[in-house]
Amino acid sequence: MLNGKTALVTGSTSGIGLGIAQALARQGANIVLNGFGDVDGPRAQVLASGEHAGVRVAYHGADMSRPAEIADMLQYSSAQFGRVDILVNNAGIQHVASVQDFPPEKWDAIIAINLTSAFHTTRLALPGMLAAGWGRIINVASVHGLVGSAQKSAYVAAKHGIVGLTKVTALETAPTGVTCNAICPGWVLTPLVQKQVDAKAAEHGLSNEEAIKLLLGEKEPSMQFTTPEELGELAVFFCSPAGNNVRGVAWNMDGAWAAQ
Protein backbone atom coordinates (compact mmCIF):
# COMPACT_ATOMS: atom_id res chain seq x y z
CA MET A 1 0.00 0.00 0.00
CA LEU A 2 2.84 2.41 0.77
CA ASN A 3 5.31 1.42 -1.94
CA GLY A 4 7.36 4.43 -2.98
CA LYS A 5 6.44 6.39 0.15
CA THR A 6 8.93 7.46 2.83
CA ALA A 7 8.21 7.56 6.56
CA LEU A 8 10.30 9.44 9.12
CA VAL A 9 9.66 8.06 12.60
CA THR A 10 11.27 9.92 15.49
CA GLY A 11 12.30 7.99 18.60
CA SER A 12 12.13 4.76 16.62
CA THR A 13 15.06 2.67 17.85
CA SER A 14 12.81 0.97 20.43
CA GLY A 15 9.28 0.71 21.77
CA ILE A 16 6.32 2.35 20.08
CA GLY A 17 8.36 4.09 17.40
CA LEU A 18 10.03 0.86 16.33
CA GLY A 19 6.66 -0.93 16.21
CA ILE A 20 5.22 1.79 13.98
CA ALA A 21 8.30 1.79 11.73
CA GLN A 22 7.98 -1.98 11.27
CA ALA A 23 4.27 -1.75 10.45
CA LEU A 24 4.86 0.96 7.84
CA ALA A 25 7.76 -1.02 6.35
CA ARG A 26 5.50 -4.07 6.00
CA GLN A 27 3.33 -1.88 3.77
CA GLY A 28 6.33 -0.98 1.61
CA ALA A 29 7.37 2.42 2.99
CA ASN A 30 11.05 3.33 3.12
CA ILE A 31 11.94 4.28 6.69
CA VAL A 32 14.14 6.91 8.31
CA LEU A 33 14.87 5.84 11.87
CA ASN A 34 15.86 8.24 14.65
CA GLY A 35 16.81 7.70 18.26
CA PHE A 36 19.53 6.81 20.72
CA GLY A 37 21.22 3.54 21.61
CA ASP A 38 21.60 0.53 19.35
CA VAL A 39 20.82 1.28 15.70
CA ASP A 40 21.90 -1.93 13.94
CA GLY A 41 19.34 -4.10 15.74
CA PRO A 42 16.32 -1.88 15.00
CA ARG A 43 17.51 -1.33 11.41
CA ALA A 44 17.68 -5.10 10.87
CA GLN A 45 14.18 -5.56 12.33
CA VAL A 46 12.69 -2.90 10.04
CA LEU A 47 14.54 -4.26 7.00
CA ALA A 48 13.18 -7.72 7.78
CA SER A 49 9.63 -6.34 8.07
CA GLY A 50 9.87 -4.72 4.64
CA GLU A 51 12.10 -7.29 2.95
CA HIS A 52 9.35 -8.53 0.63
CA ALA A 53 8.84 -4.98 -0.68
CA GLY A 54 12.52 -4.06 -1.08
CA VAL A 55 12.25 -1.41 1.63
CA ARG A 56 15.29 0.75 2.35
CA VAL A 57 16.12 2.00 5.84
CA ALA A 58 18.18 5.07 6.74
CA TYR A 59 19.06 6.55 10.14
CA HIS A 60 19.63 10.03 11.48
CA GLY A 61 20.66 10.59 15.11
CA ALA A 62 19.17 14.07 15.56
CA ASP A 63 18.81 15.20 19.16
CA MET A 64 15.12 16.14 19.19
CA SER A 65 15.75 19.00 21.61
CA ARG A 66 17.90 20.80 19.01
CA PRO A 67 16.07 22.57 16.15
CA ALA A 68 19.18 22.71 13.94
CA GLU A 69 19.62 18.94 14.17
CA ILE A 70 15.93 18.41 13.42
CA ALA A 71 16.27 20.56 10.29
CA ASP A 72 19.32 18.56 9.25
CA MET A 73 17.34 15.32 9.72
CA LEU A 74 14.54 16.54 7.43
CA GLN A 75 17.08 17.60 4.79
CA TYR A 76 18.83 14.23 5.10
CA SER A 77 15.54 12.35 4.72
CA SER A 78 14.66 14.28 1.56
CA ALA A 79 18.15 13.72 0.16
CA GLN A 80 17.90 9.97 0.81
CA PHE A 81 14.40 9.34 -0.49
CA GLY A 82 13.08 12.46 -2.26
CA ARG A 83 10.74 13.71 0.41
CA VAL A 84 9.01 12.75 3.66
CA ASP A 85 5.50 11.47 2.90
CA ILE A 86 4.68 10.17 6.39
CA LEU A 87 5.89 11.90 9.54
CA VAL A 88 5.48 10.09 12.85
CA ASN A 89 6.31 12.30 15.84
CA ASN A 90 7.02 9.76 18.56
CA ALA A 91 10.17 10.90 20.43
CA GLY A 92 9.54 11.35 24.13
CA ILE A 93 11.07 11.35 27.59
CA GLN A 94 9.55 11.24 31.06
CA HIS A 95 10.25 12.51 34.57
CA VAL A 96 8.02 12.00 37.59
CA ALA A 97 7.80 14.51 40.47
CA SER A 98 5.27 16.80 42.13
CA VAL A 99 4.91 20.28 40.63
CA GLN A 100 6.69 22.02 43.50
CA ASP A 101 9.61 19.57 43.28
CA PHE A 102 9.81 19.35 39.49
CA PRO A 103 13.31 20.37 38.29
CA PRO A 104 12.92 23.25 35.81
CA GLU A 105 15.57 21.75 33.53
CA LYS A 106 13.54 18.51 33.35
CA TRP A 107 10.40 20.52 32.48
CA ASP A 108 12.27 22.31 29.70
CA ALA A 109 13.69 19.06 28.30
CA ILE A 110 10.32 17.27 28.28
CA ILE A 111 8.54 20.18 26.59
CA ALA A 112 11.35 20.46 24.03
CA ILE A 113 11.48 16.77 23.09
CA ASN A 114 7.83 15.75 23.59
CA LEU A 115 6.16 18.86 22.11
CA THR A 116 8.39 21.46 20.46
CA SER A 117 10.20 18.89 18.31
CA ALA A 118 6.86 17.95 16.71
CA PHE A 119 6.29 21.59 15.77
CA HIS A 120 9.68 21.74 14.08
CA THR A 121 9.30 18.47 12.15
CA THR A 122 5.77 19.39 11.09
CA ARG A 123 6.61 22.86 9.83
CA LEU A 124 9.55 21.47 7.85
CA ALA A 125 7.72 18.44 6.38
CA LEU A 126 4.47 20.19 5.43
CA PRO A 127 5.66 22.14 2.36
CA GLY A 128 6.79 18.97 0.57
CA MET A 129 3.60 17.11 1.49
CA LEU A 130 1.40 19.96 0.28
CA ALA A 131 3.35 20.26 -2.96
CA ALA A 132 2.92 16.51 -3.55
CA GLY A 133 -0.78 16.60 -2.69
CA TRP A 134 -0.47 13.76 -0.16
CA GLY A 135 0.94 13.38 3.32
CA ARG A 136 0.30 11.87 6.70
CA ILE A 137 1.34 13.40 10.03
CA ILE A 138 0.84 11.06 12.97
CA ASN A 139 1.57 12.44 16.41
CA VAL A 140 2.08 9.88 19.16
CA ALA A 141 0.44 11.63 22.10
CA SER A 142 -0.81 9.59 25.06
CA VAL A 143 -3.91 9.03 27.09
CA HIS A 144 -2.21 11.80 29.08
CA GLY A 145 -3.10 14.08 26.18
CA LEU A 146 -6.73 13.54 27.24
CA VAL A 147 -6.57 13.15 31.03
CA GLY A 148 -4.10 13.97 33.78
CA SER A 149 -2.13 11.99 36.33
CA ALA A 150 -0.41 13.27 39.44
CA GLN A 151 3.39 13.65 39.37
CA LYS A 152 3.51 14.06 35.57
CA SER A 153 3.00 17.78 35.03
CA ALA A 154 5.45 18.28 32.17
CA TYR A 155 4.49 15.07 30.35
CA VAL A 156 0.76 15.77 30.62
CA ALA A 157 1.24 19.38 29.54
CA ALA A 158 3.32 18.29 26.54
CA LYS A 159 0.87 15.58 25.48
CA HIS A 160 -2.12 17.92 25.79
CA GLY A 161 -0.09 20.31 23.66
CA ILE A 162 0.49 17.60 21.04
CA VAL A 163 -3.28 17.01 20.81
CA GLY A 164 -3.79 20.75 20.32
CA LEU A 165 -1.08 20.94 17.66
CA THR A 166 -2.72 17.98 15.91
CA LYS A 167 -6.08 19.76 15.75
CA VAL A 168 -4.62 22.98 14.39
CA THR A 169 -2.51 21.17 11.79
CA ALA A 170 -5.58 19.19 10.71
CA LEU A 171 -7.64 22.35 10.34
CA GLU A 172 -4.96 24.10 8.29
CA THR A 173 -4.59 21.10 5.95
CA ALA A 174 -8.29 20.13 5.86
CA PRO A 175 -8.92 20.97 2.16
CA THR A 176 -5.73 19.15 1.05
CA GLY A 177 -4.46 15.61 0.69
CA VAL A 178 -2.50 15.93 3.93
CA THR A 179 -4.01 14.63 7.17
CA CYS A 180 -2.87 14.98 10.79
CA ASN A 181 -4.01 12.78 13.65
CA ALA A 182 -2.86 11.77 17.12
CA ILE A 183 -2.56 8.33 18.68
CA CYS A 184 -3.15 8.25 22.44
CA PRO A 185 -1.90 4.99 23.95
CA GLY A 186 -2.47 3.90 27.50
CA TRP A 187 0.18 1.73 29.12
CA VAL A 188 2.57 0.21 26.58
CA LEU A 189 5.38 -1.97 27.93
CA THR A 190 8.24 0.11 26.55
CA PRO A 191 11.62 0.63 28.27
CA LEU A 192 10.17 3.93 29.61
CA VAL A 193 7.23 2.15 31.26
CA GLN A 194 9.37 -0.75 32.50
CA LYS A 195 11.27 1.79 34.59
CA GLN A 196 7.97 2.72 36.29
CA VAL A 197 7.19 -0.96 36.84
CA ASP A 198 10.64 -1.43 38.40
CA ALA A 199 10.09 1.59 40.65
CA LYS A 200 6.76 0.19 41.89
CA ALA A 201 8.33 -3.22 42.49
CA ALA A 202 11.12 -1.66 44.54
CA GLU A 203 8.80 0.70 46.45
CA HIS A 204 6.32 -2.02 47.48
CA GLY A 205 8.61 -5.07 47.54
CA LEU A 206 6.75 -6.75 44.69
CA SER A 207 7.68 -9.09 41.88
CA ASN A 208 7.69 -7.75 38.33
CA GLU A 209 4.33 -9.47 37.63
CA GLU A 210 2.74 -8.07 40.79
CA ALA A 211 4.03 -4.57 40.01
CA ILE A 212 2.56 -4.78 36.49
CA LYS A 213 -0.85 -5.74 37.91
CA LEU A 214 -0.66 -2.81 40.34
CA LEU A 215 0.29 -0.40 37.56
CA LEU A 216 -2.48 -1.55 35.22
CA GLY A 217 -5.05 -1.80 37.98
CA GLU A 218 -4.64 1.86 38.89
CA LYS A 219 -5.62 3.15 35.44
CA GLU A 220 -6.36 0.60 32.70
CA PRO A 221 -9.59 -1.45 33.11
CA SER A 222 -8.60 -3.96 30.42
CA MET A 223 -5.68 -5.02 32.62
CA GLN A 224 -3.50 -5.49 29.54
CA PHE A 225 -0.84 -3.46 27.83
CA THR A 226 -1.40 -1.99 24.40
CA THR A 227 1.34 -3.31 22.10
CA PRO A 228 3.61 -1.44 19.68
CA GLU A 229 2.25 -3.78 16.96
CA GLU A 230 -1.34 -2.63 17.62
CA LEU A 231 -0.27 1.01 17.51
CA GLY A 232 1.61 0.33 14.27
CA GLU A 233 -1.55 -1.05 12.66
CA LEU A 234 -3.47 2.08 13.70
CA ALA A 235 -0.77 4.18 12.03
CA VAL A 236 -1.17 2.06 8.88
CA PHE A 237 -4.92 2.72 8.96
CA PHE A 238 -4.32 6.49 9.09
CA CYS A 239 -2.14 6.09 5.97
CA SER A 240 -4.71 4.00 4.11
CA PRO A 241 -7.43 5.26 1.74
CA ALA A 242 -9.92 4.55 4.54
CA GLY A 243 -8.16 7.28 6.56
CA ASN A 244 -8.47 9.99 3.91
CA ASN A 245 -11.05 11.97 5.87
CA VAL A 246 -9.92 11.08 9.37
CA ARG A 247 -8.55 14.44 10.45
CA GLY A 248 -7.67 15.98 13.78
CA VAL A 249 -8.62 13.02 15.95
CA ALA A 250 -6.99 12.02 19.21
CA TRP A 251 -7.54 8.26 18.98
CA ASN A 252 -7.07 6.59 22.34
CA MET A 253 -5.98 2.95 22.44
CA ASP A 254 -6.00 2.73 26.22
CA GLY A 255 -8.03 -0.25 27.48
CA ALA A 256 -10.91 2.06 28.53
CA TRP A 257 -8.67 4.29 30.69
CA ALA A 258 -10.25 7.54 29.44
CA ALA A 259 -13.76 6.04 29.51
CA GLN A 260 -13.82 6.12 33.31
Side-chain angles (χ1 to χ4, degrees):
M1 186 179 73
L2 298 176
N3 283 345
K5 298 279 196 279
T6 297
L8 167 60
V9 187
T10 69
S12 50
T13 49
S14 68
I16 293 171
L18 179 56
I20 292 176
Q22 289 179 275
L24 295 174
R26 278 193 291 272
Q27 294 295 330
N30 295 318
I31 305 293
V32 180
L33 295 171
N34 158 263
F36 298 126
D38 173 41
V39 177
D40 292 338
R43 189 200 301 270
Q45 289 177 259
V46 176
L47 280 170
S49 296
E51 186 176 13
H52 64 286
V55 162
R56 292 179 292 153
V57 179
Y59 169 80
H60 193 287
D63 180 335
M64 298 305 292
S65 68
R66 299 181 182 274
E69 294 188 25
I70 293 171
D72 187 71
M73 179 174 64
L74 268 292
Q75 290 173 348
Y76 168 83
S77 301
S78 296
Q80 289 288 309
F81 298 119
R83 68 168 177 273
V84 173
D85 303 286
I86 301 161
L87 170 64
V88 182
N89 288 309
N90 172 70
I93 58 172
Q94 175 66 289
H95 183 77
V96 178
S98 59
V99 171
Q100 68 268 27
D101 298 323
F102 213 94
E105 65 276 11
K106 293 288 190 184
W107 171 279
D108 290 343
I110 289 171
I111 297 298
I113 292 173
N114 294 31
L115 176 57
T116 306
S117 71
F119 160 71
H120 288 303
T121 55
T122 298
R123 71 178 177 83
L124 293 165
L126 266 176
M129 292 179 177
L130 292 168
W134 193 93
R136 295 291 183 265
I137 299 171
I138 301 169
N139 293 323
V140 180
S142 166
V143 68
H144 284 118
L146 306 171
V147 299
S149 286
Q151 306 285 307
K152 297 182 179 180
S153 56
Y155 190 83
V156 170
K159 294 303 187 180
H160 272 67
I162 281 285
V163 170
L165 176 63
T166 299
K167 292 177 180 179
V168 173
T169 305
L171 288 169
E172 292 182 3
T173 57
T176 77
V178 179
T179 71
C180 182
N181 294 290
I183 297 174
C184 299
W187 289 123
V188 183
L189 194 55
T190 62
L192 205 66
V193 170
Q194 185 61 52
K195 288 181 182 178
Q196 296 182 59
V197 173
D198 294 343
K200 279 199 179 296
E203 180 185 353
H204 299 288
L206 303 173
S207 68
N208 184 70
E209 291 73 20
E210 290 168 333
I212 284 173
K213 285 182 180 178
L214 182 61
L215 187 80
L216 291 170
E218 289 171 354
K219 301 285 187 179
E220 193 145 350
S222 68
M223 292 299 289
Q224 63 186 35
F225 288 107
T226 300
T227 68
E229 291 75 22
E230 290 165 347
L231 296 167
E233 291 305 315
L234 180 54
V236 167
F237 165 72
F238 285 146
C239 296
S240 75
N244 282 347
N245 209 30
V246 180
R247 298 170 183 266
V249 306
W251 191 311
N252 45 313
M253 193 179 278
D254 63 355
W257 182 330
Q260 299 174 97

